[in-house]
Amino acid sequence: MEMNLQERRLADTAPSGGREVPPAGTGMPASAVWDRLSVKLQDVEFRRDEPLAAHTTFRVGGPVSCFAVPRTEEALTGLLREVRELGVPHVILGGGSNILAPDGPSDLLVVKLSPACSGAVRIEDAGEGRKRAYAGAGAGLSGFLGFCRKNGLGGLECLAGIPGTVGGALVMNAGTRDGCISDALIKVDVLDREGERRELEKAELPIAYRSLGLPEGCVVMGGHFLLEESAPSAIEARMADILRRRKLSQPQGFPSAGCVFKNPPGQSAGALIERAGLKGCRMGDAEVSEKHANWIVNRGNARAEDILALIRHVEDRIRREFGVSLEREIRMLTF
Ligand code: EPU
């Protein structure tokens, strides 16, 4: 796919905090990264033409010219320093659970955050029946929640069943009606635009619904959380209840990216889409879920183009019928 760097919409896929648009005309193409960096950076695995369908929960997405998997945090920071200096168009990939990647090939560098930042989970006593826990951004969210349960750390049960990584959940301020990840956040550990490691206190961040408000270009490396000591059995029971409710109201078994749209203030995107009669509406193998109208499911061989066409169709209908402009929750990669 021919792409204009100025027009390129580099989605801030989890867990990058902002759009990263390289200066037009000065950036090195991602396809040249292999030759330039694969020998120099020994602790980074570089793959050519890696299909993004293998890394997104929608199971769609064509090949990217360079896919990099740093093996350690140092390798990750070294790689990011190099690609920023070279002006290479790149995105950071967390769990791939909230993105739509295009079908065609893209001359893009995708940097996968795990396993580099996955291992670090630490607990410290915070007094008064509370504990501090640190989780690396590349850790799977469900694995981190399992760790919290086992160690009697309560406070994040509302996130049970949300896919993706800790980093992705932080960038998106993932949550439900019962709460969101920032409720338990103390501070976030980032690599800033200049490649410096910094800690941003929760109070410094303009946190909002489904956004942590991170400065442009920040990459989340991990999060520090304040959690309550609680019996593992009580945490387990709360998680089981949340998972049971999710199973009743949300589709299971088909690839998807969860909710497609943010809820408009005071309204439910799912209820509006259902009222517009769009449940079951299909473009190719992409379908507005019969179970929850704010989900689009891949019934088999959906293409990104089908999903995008369906998203646009839903947006048009909701605008025409209710005068509401739906805002996308999922991130679009280079459309
Ligand atoms: N509703 C409908 N029709 C539908 C879907 C929902 O009428 O097809 C109604 C429900 O009956 C309910 C209201 O809309 O009265 C809200 O629905 P629900 O409880 O399912 O919650 P939601 O607002 O649609 C949010 C999060 C979900 C999270 C659930 C669980 C957003 C955009 N979505 O959904 O998060 O799992 O709460 O509490 O905030 C995600 O972000 O990917 C995601 C799945």
Side-chain angles (χ1 to χ4, degrees):
M1 181 172 41
E2 197 56 42
M3 285 186 290
N4 174 339
L5 283 186
Q6 273 172 314
E7 287 177 1
R8 182 193 293 276
R9 294 184 58 210
L10 285 189
D12 39 339
T13 56
S16 163
R19 252 179 218 168
E20 298 189 45
V21 183
T26 63
M28 169 185 275
S31 49
V33 166
W34 182 284
D35 296 331
R36 183 75 174 242
L37 298 180
S38 60
V39 175
K40 188 169 175 188
L41 301 176
Q42 294 286 316
D43 263 348
V44 181
E45 181 197 347
F46 288 98
R47 299 182 202 158
R48 278 190 225 264
D49 301 325
E50 177 79 358
L52 286 182
H55 300 278
T56 63
T57 56
F58 255 139
R59 297 280 173 256
V60 303
V64 288
S65 52
C66 194
F67 188 89
V69 188
R71 294 191 186 92
T72 62
E73 276 191 25
E74 293 68 37
L76 171 70
T77 50
L79 172 67
L80 289 176
R81 200 171 309 116
E82 295 276 356
V83 299
R84 282 174 177 167
E85 271 168 21
L86 296 169
V88 180
H90 64 283
V91 290
I92 311 290
L93 188 67
S97 58
N98 207 36
I99 69 166
L100 181 57
D103 298 304
S106 306
D107 189 13
L108 182 67
L109 168 67
V110 171
V111 180
K112 189 155 168 62
L113 206 75
S114 61
C117 300
S118 306
V121 180
R122 292 194 304 271
I123 313 177
E124 288 164 18
D125 199 13
E128 297 174 1
R130 295 185 302 178
K131 301 265 190 197
R132 284 171 202 269
Y134 175 83
L141 188 59
S142 68
F144 178 49
L145 294 182
F147 171 89
C148 290
R149 185 190 58 223
K150 221 166 58 196
N151 289 281
L153 305 172
L156 290 173
E157 294 87 322
C158 64
L159 304 178
I162 294 181
T165 55
V166 169
L170 279 168
V171 171
M172 291 300 302
N173 191 15
T176 67
R177 273 178 301 151
D178 302 315
C180 51
I181 194 165
S182 63
D183 295 345
L185 185 70
I186 303 170
K187 58 190 174 182
V188 61
D189 175 17
V190 301
L191 201 64
D192 71 12
R193 206 178 176 79
E194 281 72 46
E196 295 298 322
R197 196 82 180 251
R198 286 167 56 195
E199 289 185 336
L200 303 173
E201 298 288 333
K202 178 175 171 179
E204 293 178 55
L205 296 165
I207 295 174
Y209 168 65
R210 298 295 169 270
S211 166
L212 207 63
L214 288 165
E216 282 262 323
C218 275
V219 175
V220 175
M221 304 293 280
H224 297 259
F225 301 96
L226 188 60
L227 300 165
E228 309 281 334
E229 285 180 53
S230 183
S233 57
I235 297 173
E236 170 73 43
R238 287 195 288 273
M239 285 185 179
D241 182 49
I242 283 159
L243 286 171
R244 187 186 50 78
R245 282 192 273 144
R246 286 176 76 92
K247 278 200 177 121
L248 285 176
S249 66
Q250 297 178 353
Q252 314 285 318
F254 290 108
S256 80
C259 285
V260 174
F261 301 102
K262 296 182 182 181
N263 285 328
Q267 288 177 297
S268 154
L272 289 175
I273 300 165
E274 178 169 350
R275 272 170 56 204
L278 289 168
K279 273 188 165 178
C281 180
R282 252 174 117 142
M283 304 263 176
D285 265 356
E287 181 183 274
V288 174
S289 165
E290 293 276 5
K291 199 160 177 190
H292 194 302
N294 195 11
W295 289 53
I296 288 178
V297 290
N298 177 355
R299 298 290 308 241
N301 294 308
R303 294 167 49 80
E305 288 302 328
D306 303 325
I307 295 170
L308 187 59
L310 193 53
I311 289 174
R312 290 184 174 138
H313 179 65
V314 169
E315 288 169 345
D316 282 354
R317 283 284 297 275
I318 299 305
R319 197 174 301 113
R320 276 194 277 122
E321 293 211 13
F322 306 111
V324 172
S325 293
L326 288 176
E327 194 185 333
R328 294 175 195 170
E329 183 189 299
I330 63 171
R331 309 291 176 98
M332 321 298 287
L333 191 64
T334 65
F335 275 96

